[in-house]
Amino acid sequence: MSSIVIFLILILLVLLAYTLIPDLFIHRLGIGSWKRHYQPGVALTFDDGPNPLYTPALLDLLDQYKTKATFFLVGERAAQYPELVHEIQKRGHQLGVHCQVHQHAWLMSPWKTWKVWNKGISTLEQVTGSPIEYIRPPWGTFNLLTLLWFKRHKRRAVLWTAEGHDWDIRRTPEQIAQRILNKIEEGGIIVLHDSGGDDGAPEHTLQALKILLQKIPEVKKLPLLPLSLPEWSGLHRLTYRLWEKWESYYAHRNRIARINTTSLFRISKIKYKGPDLIGDDGTVLAHEGDIVGELHLDNTRLQIKQTDSQKIGIEALRLARASLPVLADYIAQSLEYQDINVFVGLTLLNRGAKGLGFKVQNVPISPFVRWVGMLQKIIMRVYHPQGKTHRMTRLGEPKIVWISKDALLKRWSSLSSNA
């Protein structure tokens, strides 16, 4: 092999190490970056601004729907339009840096990479007067120096899970919105653009955003929340994602439905396995083989920032109390649950349920009950921000928590004739 060939191979390997390999791991695989968040709902983010023509209209639309977002601003544009940066802050939105210049990472030398990221942070912090934590490189692309700069300055690289390619003027607002709706899920991060791209493209973005602000809560039943990243280890994040995938599969397989964007409860129908549930008048409301409604706690909405099991129970009861009127109204209007007489759940979080109108009934300890208890403890470990330091020894064994449909509607529904 000639020295020229060897030299070319070395050059190729250096280029791969500088461009493709960092981009593969960070951008494509998400290792070392945040491609999603770890709280209920969906986060909206906007790149390439600010823009004096489109950013104010975008802010007005977000205000109209009472939604907060994160704006990743290009440093040189922020310096050009500082009043827009201040307006974004004033309206309660978060800010991140989208580099000083909008240039692809693969086209920047190591020294330029370091220089423009230092300048981007410096520019935005000077304009805002506040430290900037979140960063997103243009096109989400990385080179080796980008990675080293992030690690050196301890900044969080935030990517996305859903994009509409709204920078392309050929895409209609409906196409942009539908592409995002097809991909979005719990914990998703949406990227749109209030500047850059083809001339006039942000006008389509505004129209697509209006569709998304309506349909994400109504159709997907997901809240739109500000970006929030926990102080979790990589292992905790991986465990969370794997368990979340399992829960998503389980909910789909068993037709467990969300009620709205905020309810603590999800609901399904199951064939009851016993023991008999007997009302105050002695009537058997459910026995083995009957079809009943089953209540499930939506674990992503039960991420309680406590370390004591009793405090977790109290917070869960508070969330349940706020969710029960919505649940009762949903059941009162639902044809699917018209013939259901009782709603049940098997849960470790059963203390205080009587105060909400539920019956709490012991269940014979069986391998299935122990299995459910173990799964629920795993769930609490996965979703709890303190991970394995969380204390769950006081939770005991699962118990059946149940309520008749009549009692549920009478106590909690604003639509029931018995209310």
Side-chain angles (χ1 to χ4, degrees):
M1 186 179 294
S2 70
S3 59
I4 294 178
V5 173
I6 294 174
F7 177 75
L8 292 176
I9 290 174
L10 289 175
I11 292 294
L12 178 60
L13 291 175
V14 169
L15 289 175
L16 286 174
Y18 185 71
T19 58
L20 289 176
I21 294 175
D23 196 69
L24 171 65
F25 280 92
I26 305 172
H27 182 192
R28 305 299 173 184
L29 300 180
I31 299 173
S33 63
W34 297 78
K35 295 193 73 169
R36 66 184 314 285
H37 65 158
Y38 294 82
Q39 64 169 343
V42 176
L44 277 171
T45 67
F46 298 92
D47 287 1
D48 295 0
N51 182 300
L53 180 60
Y54 297 110
T55 302
L58 176 59
L59 292 172
D60 289 342
L61 186 57
L62 291 172
D63 280 354
Q64 181 182 341
Y65 285 87
K66 297 180 173 60
T67 300
K68 302 303 180 186
T70 303
F71 288 78
F72 288 90
L73 305 180
V74 177
E76 62 183 8
R77 296 187 65 83
Q80 187 177 4
Y81 304 109
E83 69 284 354
L84 286 179
V85 179
H86 296 150
E87 186 64 21
I88 293 170
Q89 286 183 291
K90 180 181 176 181
R91 306 247 192 145
H93 301 287
Q94 297 172 318
L95 294 176
V97 177
H98 202 44
C99 199
Q100 176 68 11
V101 294
H102 199 275
Q103 187 173 351
H104 201 288
W106 295 3
L107 303 178
M108 288 195 288
S109 65
W111 47 90
K112 183 175 182 180
T113 298
W114 202 270
K115 178 181 177 181
V116 294
W117 277 107
N118 279 338
K119 183 63 174 176
I121 285 287
S122 173
T123 297
L124 200 54
E125 290 185 344
Q126 287 178 12
V127 172
T128 64
S130 303
I132 301 297
E133 177 183 2
Y134 298 149
I135 58 174
R136 175 182 289 163
W139 293 284
T141 57
F142 295 79
N143 62 39
L144 183 59
L145 262 291
T146 318
L147 172 61
L148 294 177
W149 187 92
F150 290 171
K151 296 298 184 183
R152 170 68 176 81
H153 294 275
K154 298 180 180 180
R155 295 302 200 279
R156 298 193 188 196
V158 180
L159 300 179
W160 58 84
T161 62
E163 58 179 327
H165 290 177
D166 57 318
W167 38 264
D168 186 346
I169 191 62
R170 295 171 298 179
R171 293 187 180 270
T172 67
E174 292 74 19
Q175 289 172 332
I176 295 167
Q178 193 57 53
R179 180 184 173 91
I180 290 173
L181 289 169
N182 289 342
K183 293 185 176 182
I184 203 64
E185 59 182 10
E186 191 87 71
I189 300 174
I190 297 171
V191 59
L192 293 166
H193 301 78
D194 59 329
S195 189
D198 297 333
D199 290 342
E203 186 62 43
H204 287 185
T205 300
L206 288 169
Q207 297 174 47
L209 177 61
K210 188 170 184 179
I211 297 172
L212 292 170
L213 290 170
Q214 294 170 348
K215 288 195 173 182
I216 289 175
E218 292 175 5
V219 178
K220 306 293 281 191
K221 291 185 170 58
L222 294 171
L224 290 156
L225 300 174
L227 184 65
S228 179
L229 304 178
E231 297 293 339
W232 286 357
S233 67
L235 179 60
H236 193 167
R237 290 161 59 186
L238 177 61
T239 305
Y240 181 101
R241 286 294 289 137
L242 291 174
W243 189 265
E244 193 177 48
K245 289 290 185 183
W246 157 251
E247 283 209 319
S248 177
Y249 165 77
Y250 182 84
H252 177 75
R253 181 170 178 244
N254 293 280
R255 298 182 180 180
I256 301 170
R258 280 201 170 95
I259 294 171
N260 70 354
T261 60
T262 59
S263 176
L264 181 61
F265 297 106
R266 294 185 293 175
I267 190 170
S268 66
K269 291 196 292 189
I270 62 164
K271 185 177 290 187
Y272 185 59
K273 297 179 180 179
D276 287 353
L277 302 180
I278 302 173
D280 293 336
D281 61 358
T283 303
V284 177
L285 297 175
H287 56 77
E288 187 174 354
D290 288 347
I291 302 299
V292 301
E294 186 175 39
L295 301 179
H296 303 259
L297 294 179
D298 195 333
N299 295 302
T300 57
R301 287 158 175 74
L302 193 59
Q303 295 185 48
I304 298 169
K305 297 179 180 179
Q306 299 286 349
T307 57
D308 183 82
S309 59
Q310 288 185 327
K311 292 181 179 179
I312 288 175
I314 292 171
E315 181 66 8
L317 284 173
R318 186 191 68 78
L319 294 172
R321 187 179 296 276
S323 298
L324 279 168
V326 177
L327 171 68
D329 287 349
Y330 177 87
I331 291 170
Q333 298 176 90
S334 174
L335 294 177
E336 185 177 1
Y337 293 94
Q338 186 174 7
D339 297 326
I340 298 297
N341 295 321
V342 65
F343 295 85
V344 304
L346 183 63
T347 180
L348 291 167
L349 297 176
N350 47 61
R351 295 180 181 177
K354 290 182 180 180
L356 301 176
F358 287 78
K359 308 285 187 182
V360 178
Q361 188 167 323
N362 290 326
V363 60
I365 301 302
S366 66
F368 173 75
V369 171
R370 292 191 184 280
W371 171 249
V372 170
M374 184 186 72
L375 285 180
Q376 291 188 1
K377 288 178 181 180
I378 291 174
I379 288 170
M380 294 181 71
R381 273 191 152 187
V382 168
Y383 285 92
H384 193 274
Q386 299 300 322
K388 61 185 179 182
T389 64
H390 172 54
R391 301 198 306 270
M392 296 172 287
T393 55
R394 300 180 186 177
L395 293 176
E397 299 292 344
K399 296 183 180 181
I400 291 178
V401 174
W402 64 275
I403 190 170
S404 70
K405 181 179 180 179
D406 289 343
L408 177 65
L409 299 189
K410 182 176 181 180
R411 176 157 183 172
W412 295 103
S413 177
S414 62
L415 303 176
S416 172
S417 59
N418 296 322

